[in-house]
Amino acid sequence: MSPDLVIIGAGPAGMTAARIAAEGGLRVVLLDEQDRAGGQIYRNLGAAAGRDWLGPDYARGADLLRGLNHPGITHQPRATVWRVDAARGVIWSRDGESHVTAAPHVLIATGAQERPVPFPGWTLPGVMPAGAAQILMKQSGMVAQDAILAGAGPLLYLVAAQMIAAGSPPKALVETGTDLRHALAKLPRALPAAMTLAKGLGLIRRIRGIPRHHGARDFRAVALAGGRIGFGFTTRKGPQELDCGLLLTHLGVIPQTHLTRSMGLTHDYDVAQQAWRPRLDAWGGSSRRGVRVAGDGGGIGGADAARAQGALAALAILHDAGRLDLDERDRRARPLRRALARALSLRPFLDAAYPVPKAFLAPPDDTIICRCEEVTAGAVREAAACGAHGLRLMRTALRTGMGPCQGRMCEPTVTGLIAQTTGCAPSALGPGRIRTPVKPVTLAEIAALGRQPEETA
Amino acid sequence: MNAASRFRDAPGMAPRSIRMSLDGETLLARPGETVAAALLAQSGDATRRTPVSGAGRTAFCMMGVCFDCLVTIDGRPNVQACMTPARDGMVIRRQIGARRLGDQP
């Protein structure tokens, strides 16, 4: 029996939508890349009992996990979607075998990835994103030791507080600097999210005692003896040199749009968040009928916004499927819209308080910006000056974005470098064309797919 | 090489009871853990050398985005260690340089 709805991604948006759609009578298939539902924010929550040091916000996802225990929901873990085909359906891979799940409604809830933080030395073993260290805490109970946190954004404070609670405090917090005067002008609009702001201030109090550096720029990492990392940067006080076992960087998150872009959906450039996002209506509807997007994959809003967006999309799908009349849809949507507005009211403040410094969008010449093909910023600048004025031309010239990550780690930087060299706005340069498969699969796997009857998961 | 792990276990974590091998040496993992986490718990060293320059890399994003954690598992090349749950008896090999056609089992 084929499902009514395929949801891609089991984070807060996908899990919320699955429950509401199933309670409304739809058969739902929930595809997710991870072994357990939760997304990155609630990653491994179902198996992380006893890890109180991760804090109360992590535990808040428990109701979403319970919500998946519904006979109308089929959760497919470790399912990597590599194509959404207009004619055939959602194509996904597990353990080297591909499957097709077709349904009249598709909800894409693929969430966010960390924004790449390129600087000379960021490819060394011993340099990692702060979010990756948090995943290791959630999934493995592993805590970074002798680590420095560097960059900007609230996640740095949260990871620092979690490391302190787990008994392995960071040895320093190096911030690229908060333009607080600019951010404070946005503060009145953030008042509906006062609870979240208060939590943030609470976090900052909990990391008191950690040595902090502000206004840091010119990041540089070098390998020292024994695998240690030398971390150089400059502040108003002059050049600084620290050393650590692990350098954890962070400059916020960006929507994962490879799948929505591969489908040819319309995208817009979000100047405040310096990233592309699919164009959506108030119910998560994309430019293609039957395809909706909810959560951070449609623009960064955080877990509370994702819940509300997932619920709104599910109500719209129930209405489209003839299971919910218009009045009931709109009545149930009202509190969700209030919750969404409350959650999103914080974004202008956060975007203003933790801007991405230009030096990370257009880093120094000796920075490897494409980790797969090992292309430097200098090579991209030179190619841009010689006429490679777009992402596709750059791909042809230097292979940026042609390695296994398919541009996930370099595209924001390639865009920034072309924009800097040519004087073009980033919005004029993209979004880059993404082709399926959006995650690598073998030719043998694709060939085998052609010989199988269509499955229903 | 021979960098110690850059991580330590939080208090109260269960012992690593899953036994795998990494280039012939024992690699331990905790149930529910990924191969990439097990690699990072064992050592701070590189787990592969890049095809272009031979530079050392190890697991980076831990969420399937960056492909820096590629290893060969049970003869299958270019597997994302961060997306693969650890299982008893897995035979893991570091990847030095590019894989070739025909490496496939």
mmCIF file of all heavy atoms in Angstrom, chain B residues 27-76:
data_model
loop_
_atom_site.group_PDB
_atom_site.id
_atom_site.type_symbol
_atom_site.label_atom_id
_atom_site.label_comp_id
_atom_site.label_asym_id
_atom_site.label_seq_id
_atom_site.Cartn_x
_atom_site.Cartn_y
_atom_site.Cartn_z
ATOM 1 N N LEU B 27 39.979 -2.021 16.994
ATOM 2 C CA LEU B 27 39.287 -0.742 17.163
ATOM 3 C C LEU B 27 37.997 -1.032 17.927
ATOM 4 O O LEU B 27 37.197 -1.855 17.504
ATOM 5 C CB LEU B 27 38.984 -0.118 15.794
ATOM 6 C CG LEU B 27 38.202 1.191 15.805
ATOM 7 C CD1 LEU B 27 39.008 2.317 16.453
ATOM 8 C CD2 LEU B 27 37.792 1.598 14.384
ATOM 9 N N LEU B 28 37.822 -0.356 19.057
ATOM 10 C CA LEU B 28 36.658 -0.618 19.909
ATOM 11 C C LEU B 28 35.592 0.443 19.710
ATOM 12 O O LEU B 28 35.890 1.591 19.383
ATOM 13 C CB LEU B 28 37.087 -0.635 21.386
ATOM 14 C CG LEU B 28 38.117 -1.702 21.773
ATOM 15 C CD1 LEU B 28 38.535 -1.529 23.232
ATOM 16 C CD2 LEU B 28 37.558 -3.102 21.534
ATOM 17 N N ALA B 29 34.346 0.061 19.919
ATOM 18 C CA ALA B 29 33.228 1.013 19.824
ATOM 19 C C ALA B 29 32.161 0.648 20.851
ATOM 20 O O ALA B 29 32.070 -0.498 21.294
ATOM 21 C CB ALA B 29 32.632 1.018 18.427
ATOM 22 N N ARG B 30 31.388 1.663 21.168
ATOM 23 C CA ARG B 30 30.278 1.500 22.102
ATOM 24 C C ARG B 30 29.010 1.246 21.273
ATOM 25 O O ARG B 30 28.881 1.826 20.187
ATOM 26 C CB ARG B 30 30.149 2.826 22.844
ATOM 27 C CG ARG B 30 29.337 2.839 24.058
ATOM 28 C CD ARG B 30 29.467 4.225 24.705
ATOM 29 N NE ARG B 30 30.670 4.317 25.480
ATOM 30 C CZ ARG B 30 31.496 5.358 25.490
ATOM 31 N NH1 ARG B 30 31.267 6.408 24.744
ATOM 32 N NH2 ARG B 30 32.551 5.345 26.261
ATOM 33 N N PRO B 31 28.100 0.415 21.739
ATOM 34 C CA PRO B 31 26.859 0.215 20.978
ATOM 35 C C PRO B 31 26.156 1.560 20.704
ATOM 36 O O PRO B 31 26.082 2.410 21.595
ATOM 37 C CB PRO B 31 26.012 -0.661 21.908
ATOM 38 C CG PRO B 31 27.009 -1.389 22.758
ATOM 39 C CD PRO B 31 28.159 -0.448 22.947
ATOM 40 N N GLY B 32 25.701 1.736 19.476
ATOM 41 C CA GLY B 32 25.028 2.982 19.104
ATOM 42 C C GLY B 32 25.959 4.036 18.554
ATOM 43 O O GLY B 32 25.525 5.089 18.109
ATOM 44 N N GLU B 33 27.249 3.730 18.583
ATOM 45 C CA GLU B 33 28.247 4.699 18.146
ATOM 46 C C GLU B 33 28.539 4.515 16.658
ATOM 47 O O GLU B 33 28.420 3.420 16.140
ATOM 48 C CB GLU B 33 29.513 4.430 18.960
ATOM 49 C CG GLU B 33 30.579 5.472 18.913
ATOM 50 C CD GLU B 33 31.573 5.266 20.070
ATOM 51 O OE1 GLU B 33 32.268 4.234 20.085
ATOM 52 O OE2 GLU B 33 31.633 6.137 20.929
ATOM 53 N N THR B 34 28.977 5.585 15.990
ATOM 54 C CA THR B 34 29.372 5.439 14.590
ATOM 55 C C THR B 34 30.845 5.032 14.516
ATOM 56 O O THR B 34 31.613 5.199 15.472
ATOM 57 C CB THR B 34 29.198 6.750 13.808
ATOM 58 O OG1 THR B 34 30.037 7.753 14.385
ATOM 59 C CG2 THR B 34 27.745 7.221 13.846
ATOM 60 N N VAL B 35 31.233 4.530 13.343
ATOM 61 C CA VAL B 35 32.631 4.177 13.111
ATOM 62 C C VAL B 35 33.517 5.419 13.278
ATOM 63 O O VAL B 35 34.602 5.350 13.864
ATOM 64 C CB VAL B 35 32.796 3.557 11.705
ATOM 65 C CG1 VAL B 35 34.267 3.393 11.343
ATOM 66 C CG2 VAL B 35 32.066 2.221 11.612
ATOM 67 N N ALA B 36 33.032 6.588 12.818
ATOM 68 C CA ALA B 36 33.840 7.807 12.934
ATOM 69 C C ALA B 36 34.101 8.164 14.400
ATOM 70 O O ALA B 36 35.209 8.561 14.758
ATOM 71 C CB ALA B 36 33.138 8.970 12.234
ATOM 72 N N ALA B 37 33.089 8.010 15.244
ATOM 73 C CA ALA B 37 33.275 8.306 16.669
ATOM 74 C C ALA B 37 34.313 7.362 17.269
ATOM 75 O O ALA B 37 35.181 7.777 18.046
ATOM 76 C CB ALA B 37 31.943 8.192 17.407
ATOM 77 N N ALA B 38 34.235 6.082 16.880
ATOM 78 C CA ALA B 38 35.207 5.111 17.389
ATOM 79 C C ALA B 38 36.624 5.487 16.952
ATOM 80 O O ALA B 38 37.570 5.394 17.743
ATOM 81 C CB ALA B 38 34.846 3.708 16.891
ATOM 82 N N LEU B 39 36.762 5.924 15.708
ATOM 83 C CA LEU B 39 38.088 6.330 15.210
ATOM 84 C C LEU B 39 38.616 7.525 16.012
ATOM 85 O O LEU B 39 39.784 7.554 16.412
ATOM 86 C CB LEU B 39 38.009 6.688 13.722
ATOM 87 C CG LEU B 39 37.755 5.515 12.755
ATOM 88 C CD1 LEU B 39 37.380 6.040 11.364
ATOM 89 C CD2 LEU B 39 38.990 4.601 12.660
ATOM 90 N N LEU B 40 37.740 8.503 16.266
ATOM 91 C CA LEU B 40 38.171 9.696 17.009
ATOM 92 C C LEU B 40 38.467 9.372 18.470
ATOM 93 O O LEU B 40 39.292 10.034 19.105
ATOM 94 C CB LEU B 40 37.100 10.792 16.927
ATOM 95 C CG LEU B 40 36.897 11.437 15.551
ATOM 96 C CD1 LEU B 40 35.656 12.329 15.556
ATOM 97 C CD2 LEU B 40 38.120 12.258 15.136
ATOM 98 N N ALA B 41 37.787 8.370 19.009
ATOM 99 C CA ALA B 41 38.029 7.990 20.405
ATOM 100 C C ALA B 41 39.361 7.266 20.550
ATOM 101 O O ALA B 41 39.982 7.279 21.606
ATOM 102 C CB ALA B 41 36.888 7.098 20.912
ATOM 103 N N GLN B 42 39.786 6.617 19.470
ATOM 104 C CA GLN B 42 41.021 5.821 19.526
ATOM 105 C C GLN B 42 42.269 6.686 19.350
ATOM 106 O O GLN B 42 43.287 6.438 19.985
ATOM 107 C CB GLN B 42 40.974 4.765 18.423
ATOM 108 C CG GLN B 42 42.252 3.968 18.271
ATOM 109 C CD GLN B 42 41.979 2.486 18.392
ATOM 110 O OE1 GLN B 42 41.115 2.057 19.145
ATOM 111 N NE2 GLN B 42 42.703 1.689 17.623
ATOM 112 N N SER B 43 42.183 7.707 18.475
ATOM 113 C CA SER B 43 43.396 8.437 18.125
ATOM 114 C C SER B 43 43.056 9.801 17.539
ATOM 115 O O SER B 43 41.973 10.007 16.998
ATOM 116 C CB SER B 43 44.203 7.592 17.122
ATOM 117 O OG SER B 43 44.903 8.395 16.216
ATOM 118 N N GLY B 44 44.009 10.720 17.636
ATOM 119 C CA GLY B 44 43.832 12.041 17.037
ATOM 120 C C GLY B 44 44.449 12.150 15.664
ATOM 121 O O GLY B 44 44.543 13.244 15.101
ATOM 122 N N ASP B 45 44.876 11.005 15.113
ATOM 123 C CA ASP B 45 45.580 11.011 13.826
ATOM 124 C C ASP B 45 44.633 11.069 12.635
ATOM 125 O O ASP B 45 43.430 10.840 12.767
ATOM 126 C CB ASP B 45 46.422 9.743 13.689
ATOM 127 C CG ASP B 45 47.662 9.793 14.550
ATOM 128 O OD1 ASP B 45 48.177 10.900 14.776
ATOM 129 O OD2 ASP B 45 48.092 8.723 15.015
ATOM 130 N N ALA B 46 45.218 11.297 11.460
ATOM 131 C CA ALA B 46 44.471 11.250 10.206
ATOM 132 C C ALA B 46 43.972 9.831 9.960
ATOM 133 O O ALA B 46 44.629 8.858 10.327
ATOM 134 C CB ALA B 46 45.355 11.700 9.055
ATOM 135 N N THR B 47 42.791 9.719 9.343
ATOM 136 C CA THR B 47 42.270 8.410 8.970
ATOM 137 C C THR B 47 42.271 8.212 7.461
ATOM 138 O O THR B 47 41.820 7.195 6.959
ATOM 139 C CB THR B 47 40.831 8.222 9.489
ATOM 140 O OG1 THR B 47 40.029 9.301 9.029
ATOM 141 C CG2 THR B 47 40.814 8.196 11.005
ATOM 142 N N ARG B 48 42.730 9.216 6.724
ATOM 143 C CA ARG B 48 42.900 9.027 5.277
ATOM 144 C C ARG B 48 43.909 10.054 4.776
ATOM 145 O O ARG B 48 44.261 11.006 5.493
ATOM 146 C CB ARG B 48 41.581 9.160 4.513
ATOM 147 C CG ARG B 48 41.039 10.567 4.441
ATOM 148 C CD ARG B 48 39.719 10.626 3.649
ATOM 149 N NE ARG B 48 39.276 11.996 3.538
ATOM 150 C CZ ARG B 48 39.342 12.727 2.413
ATOM 151 N NH1 ARG B 48 39.846 12.204 1.303
ATOM 152 N NH2 ARG B 48 38.942 13.975 2.389
ATOM 153 N N ARG B 49 44.389 9.841 3.559
ATOM 154 C CA ARG B 49 45.243 10.813 2.868
ATOM 155 C C ARG B 49 44.513 11.217 1.603
ATOM 156 O O ARG B 49 43.985 10.362 0.886
ATOM 157 C CB ARG B 49 46.611 10.226 2.541
ATOM 158 C CG ARG B 49 47.372 9.788 3.790
ATOM 159 C CD ARG B 49 48.716 10.493 3.939
ATOM 160 N NE ARG B 49 49.102 10.519 5.348
ATOM 161 C CZ ARG B 49 49.410 11.622 6.024
ATOM 162 N NH1 ARG B 49 49.410 12.805 5.415
ATOM 163 N NH2 ARG B 49 49.721 11.579 7.288
ATOM 164 N N THR B 50 44.485 12.519 1.308
ATOM 165 C CA THR B 50 43.650 12.999 0.204
ATOM 166 C C THR B 50 44.204 12.563 -1.148
ATOM 167 O O THR B 50 45.417 12.419 -1.316
ATOM 168 C CB THR B 50 43.567 14.539 0.212
ATOM 169 O OG1 THR B 50 44.893 15.064 0.084
ATOM 170 C CG2 THR B 50 42.952 15.050 1.490
ATOM 171 N N PRO B 51 43.309 12.363 -2.128
ATOM 172 C CA PRO B 51 43.754 11.990 -3.473
ATOM 173 C C PRO B 51 44.594 13.085 -4.136
ATOM 174 O O PRO B 51 45.480 12.783 -4.929
ATOM 175 C CB PRO B 51 42.437 11.795 -4.247
ATOM 176 C CG PRO B 51 41.398 11.563 -3.206
ATOM 177 C CD PRO B 51 41.840 12.325 -2.001
ATOM 178 N N VAL B 52 44.350 14.348 -3.831
ATOM 179 C CA VAL B 52 45.028 15.432 -4.562
ATOM 180 C C VAL B 52 46.446 15.664 -4.044
ATOM 181 O O VAL B 52 47.416 15.583 -4.794
ATOM 182 C CB VAL B 52 44.197 16.737 -4.495
ATOM 183 C CG1 VAL B 52 44.921 17.866 -5.224
ATOM 184 C CG2 VAL B 52 42.811 16.511 -5.095
ATOM 185 N N SER B 53 46.593 15.936 -2.735
ATOM 186 C CA SER B 53 47.915 16.316 -2.219
ATOM 187 C C SER B 53 48.492 15.313 -1.227
ATOM 188 O O SER B 53 49.631 15.462 -0.801
ATOM 189 C CB SER B 53 47.828 17.684 -1.541
ATOM 190 O OG SER B 53 47.184 17.557 -0.282
ATOM 191 N N GLY B 54 47.695 14.317 -0.842
ATOM 192 C CA GLY B 54 48.167 13.371 0.160
ATOM 193 C C GLY B 54 48.104 13.893 1.583
ATOM 194 O O GLY B 54 48.674 13.304 2.496
ATOM 195 N N ALA B 55 47.389 14.995 1.784
ATOM 196 C CA ALA B 55 47.270 15.572 3.129
ATOM 197 C C ALA B 55 46.433 14.659 4.021
ATOM 198 O O ALA B 55 45.528 13.975 3.550
ATOM 199 C CB ALA B 55 46.618 16.948 3.048
ATOM 200 N N GLY B 56 46.759 14.662 5.313
ATOM 201 C CA GLY B 56 46.010 13.849 6.277
ATOM 202 C C GLY B 56 44.700 14.516 6.643
ATOM 203 O O GLY B 56 44.635 15.729 6.834
ATOM 204 N N ARG B 57 43.669 13.723 6.736
ATOM 205 C CA ARG B 57 42.357 14.224 7.171
ATOM 206 C C ARG B 57 41.730 13.208 8.118
ATOM 207 O O ARG B 57 42.078 12.025 8.094
ATOM 208 C CB ARG B 57 41.399 14.399 5.974
ATOM 209 C CG ARG B 57 41.832 15.415 4.947
ATOM 210 C CD ARG B 57 41.409 16.833 5.306
ATOM 211 N NE ARG B 57 41.901 17.775 4.306
ATOM 212 C CZ ARG B 57 41.268 18.084 3.183
ATOM 213 N NH1 ARG B 57 40.095 17.535 2.920
ATOM 214 N NH2 ARG B 57 41.789 18.941 2.322
ATOM 215 N N THR B 58 40.768 13.671 8.868
ATOM 216 C CA THR B 58 39.972 12.752 9.665
ATOM 217 C C THR B 58 38.538 13.266 9.707
ATOM 218 O O THR B 58 38.224 14.283 9.088
ATOM 219 C CB THR B 58 40.555 12.579 11.085
ATOM 220 O OG1 THR B 58 39.860 11.528 11.760
ATOM 221 C CG2 THR B 58 40.429 13.858 11.900
ATOM 222 N N ALA B 59 37.665 12.538 10.391
ATOM 223 C CA ALA B 59 36.252 12.923 10.460
ATOM 224 C C ALA B 59 36.137 14.384 10.864
ATOM 225 O O ALA B 59 36.877 14.863 11.725
ATOM 226 C CB ALA B 59 35.522 12.030 11.454
ATOM 227 N N PHE B 60 35.194 15.091 10.247
ATOM 228 C CA PHE B 60 35.097 16.537 10.435
ATOM 229 C C PHE B 60 33.692 16.945 10.869
ATOM 230 O O PHE B 60 33.470 17.338 12.002
ATOM 231 C CB PHE B 60 35.512 17.225 9.133
ATOM 232 C CG PHE B 60 35.575 18.720 9.189
ATOM 233 C CD1 PHE B 60 36.569 19.367 9.909
ATOM 234 C CD2 PHE B 60 34.640 19.498 8.513
ATOM 235 C CE1 PHE B 60 36.626 20.759 9.949
ATOM 236 C CE2 PHE B 60 34.700 20.886 8.540
ATOM 237 C CZ PHE B 60 35.694 21.515 9.268
ATOM 238 N N CYS B 61 32.693 16.800 9.965
ATOM 239 C CA CYS B 61 31.367 17.377 10.272
ATOM 240 C C CYS B 61 30.499 16.456 11.110
ATOM 241 O O CYS B 61 29.569 16.916 11.771
ATOM 242 C CB CYS B 61 30.637 17.762 8.984
ATOM 243 S SG CYS B 61 29.890 16.354 8.117
ATOM 244 N N MET B 62 30.735 15.159 11.088
ATOM 245 C CA MET B 62 30.002 14.158 11.856
ATOM 246 C C MET B 62 28.519 14.046 11.478
ATOM 247 O O MET B 62 27.740 13.444 12.213
ATOM 248 C CB MET B 62 30.130 14.409 13.373
ATOM 249 C CG MET B 62 31.535 14.283 13.921
ATOM 250 S SD MET B 62 32.336 12.697 13.544
ATOM 251 C CE MET B 62 31.356 11.580 14.532
ATOM 252 N N MET B 63 28.109 14.649 10.355
ATOM 253 C CA MET B 63 26.690 14.557 9.986
ATOM 254 C C MET B 63 26.484 14.293 8.494
ATOM 255 O O MET B 63 25.444 14.614 7.942
ATOM 256 C CB MET B 63 25.923 15.800 10.430
ATOM 257 C CG MET B 63 26.510 17.105 9.947
ATOM 258 S SD MET B 63 25.494 18.537 10.444
ATOM 259 C CE MET B 63 24.123 18.396 9.283
ATOM 260 N N GLY B 64 27.499 13.707 7.862
ATOM 261 C CA GLY B 64 27.291 13.252 6.492
ATOM 262 C C GLY B 64 27.437 14.299 5.409
ATOM 263 O O GLY B 64 27.120 14.043 4.263
ATOM 264 N N VAL B 65 27.931 15.478 5.764
ATOM 265 C CA VAL B 65 27.986 16.583 4.812
ATOM 266 C C VAL B 65 29.331 16.666 4.084
ATOM 267 O O VAL B 65 29.382 16.887 2.884
ATOM 268 C CB VAL B 65 27.668 17.920 5.514
ATOM 269 C CG1 VAL B 65 27.927 19.105 4.600
ATOM 270 C CG2 VAL B 65 26.215 17.941 5.986
ATOM 271 N N CYS B 66 30.452 16.481 4.823
ATOM 272 C CA CYS B 66 31.755 16.884 4.277
ATOM 273 C C CYS B 66 32.541 15.772 3.591
ATOM 274 O O CYS B 66 33.443 16.053 2.822
ATOM 275 C CB CYS B 66 32.610 17.507 5.375
ATOM 276 S SG CYS B 66 33.381 16.314 6.496
ATOM 277 N N PHE B 67 32.270 14.516 3.880
ATOM 278 C CA PHE B 67 32.944 13.360 3.257
ATOM 279 C C PHE B 67 34.436 13.282 3.589
ATOM 280 O O PHE B 67 35.199 12.635 2.874
ATOM 281 C CB PHE B 67 32.723 13.348 1.733
ATOM 282 C CG PHE B 67 31.286 13.075 1.359
ATOM 283 C CD1 PHE B 67 30.345 14.077 1.431
ATOM 284 C CD2 PHE B 67 30.874 11.814 0.976
ATOM 285 C CE1 PHE B 67 29.006 13.838 1.124
ATOM 286 C CE2 PHE B 67 29.547 11.557 0.660
ATOM 287 C CZ PHE B 67 28.617 12.570 0.737
ATOM 288 N N ASP B 68 34.863 13.922 4.667
ATOM 289 C CA ASP B 68 36.263 13.798 5.073
ATOM 290 C C ASP B 68 36.525 12.504 5.836
ATOM 291 O O ASP B 68 37.673 12.154 6.075
ATOM 292 C CB ASP B 68 36.682 15.009 5.923
ATOM 293 C CG ASP B 68 37.488 16.009 5.101
ATOM 294 O OD1 ASP B 68 38.211 15.570 4.201
ATOM 295 O OD2 ASP B 68 37.392 17.217 5.365
ATOM 296 N N CYS B 69 35.475 11.802 6.242
ATOM 297 C CA CYS B 69 35.660 10.600 7.078
ATOM 298 C C CYS B 69 35.662 9.326 6.260
ATOM 299 O O CYS B 69 35.527 8.235 6.811
ATOM 300 C CB CYS B 69 34.564 10.536 8.148
ATOM 301 S SG CYS B 69 32.917 10.330 7.462
ATOM 302 N N LEU B 70 35.812 9.433 4.917
ATOM 303 C CA LEU B 70 35.719 8.242 4.074
ATOM 304 C C LEU B 70 36.746 7.185 4.466
ATOM 305 O O LEU B 70 37.927 7.478 4.629
ATOM 306 C CB LEU B 70 35.914 8.621 2.597
ATOM 307 C CG LEU B 70 34.852 9.549 2.005
ATOM 308 C CD1 LEU B 70 35.189 9.866 0.544
ATOM 309 C CD2 LEU B 70 33.465 8.938 2.118
ATOM 310 N N VAL B 71 36.275 5.940 4.612
ATOM 311 C CA VAL B 71 37.142 4.795 4.889
ATOM 312 C C VAL B 71 36.634 3.615 4.049
ATOM 313 O O VAL B 71 35.559 3.681 3.449
ATOM 314 C CB VAL B 71 37.118 4.384 6.389
ATOM 315 C CG1 VAL B 71 37.845 5.405 7.246
ATOM 316 C CG2 VAL B 71 35.691 4.174 6.876
ATOM 317 N N THR B 72 37.435 2.555 4.035
ATOM 318 C CA THR B 72 36.983 1.314 3.399
ATOM 319 C C THR B 72 36.470 0.395 4.503
ATOM 320 O O THR B 72 37.159 0.171 5.494
ATOM 321 C CB THR B 72 38.139 0.652 2.626
ATOM 322 O OG1 THR B 72 38.523 1.540 1.559
ATOM 323 C CG2 THR B 72 37.715 -0.679 2.026
ATOM 324 N N ILE B 73 35.234 -0.065 4.376
ATOM 325 C CA ILE B 73 34.650 -0.943 5.394
ATOM 326 C C ILE B 73 34.228 -2.254 4.737
ATOM 327 O O ILE B 73 33.451 -2.254 3.775
ATOM 328 C CB ILE B 73 33.431 -0.285 6.086
ATOM 329 C CG1 ILE B 73 33.859 1.004 6.798
ATOM 330 C CG2 ILE B 73 32.794 -1.260 7.084
ATOM 331 C CD1 ILE B 73 32.735 1.711 7.543
ATOM 332 N N ASP B 74 34.775 -3.355 5.241
ATOM 333 C CA ASP B 74 34.474 -4.689 4.720
ATOM 334 C C ASP B 74 34.644 -4.741 3.203
ATOM 335 O O ASP B 74 33.815 -5.313 2.484
ATOM 336 C CB ASP B 74 33.050 -5.122 5.130
ATOM 337 C CG ASP B 74 32.915 -5.280 6.640
ATOM 338 O OD1 ASP B 74 33.952 -5.498 7.314
ATOM 339 O OD2 ASP B 74 31.791 -5.155 7.153
ATOM 340 N N GLY B 75 35.704 -4.101 2.735
ATOM 341 C CA GLY B 75 36.041 -4.148 1.319
ATOM 342 C C GLY B 75 35.337 -3.109 0.466
ATOM 343 O O GLY B 75 35.646 -2.941 -0.710
ATOM 344 N N ARG B 76 34.384 -2.401 1.041
ATOM 345 C CA ARG B 76 33.640 -1.393 0.273
ATOM 346 C C ARG B 76 34.299 -0.032 0.475
ATOM 347 O O ARG B 76 34.373 0.470 1.600
ATOM 348 C CB ARG B 76 32.205 -1.364 0.786
ATOM 349 C CG ARG B 76 31.254 -0.534 -0.023
ATOM 350 C CD ARG B 76 29.852 -0.587 0.622
ATOM 351 N NE ARG B 76 29.030 0.494 0.131
ATOM 352 C CZ ARG B 76 28.360 0.472 -1.021
ATOM 353 N NH1 ARG B 76 28.404 -0.598 -1.763
ATOM 354 N NH2 ARG B 76 27.650 1.497 -1.423
#
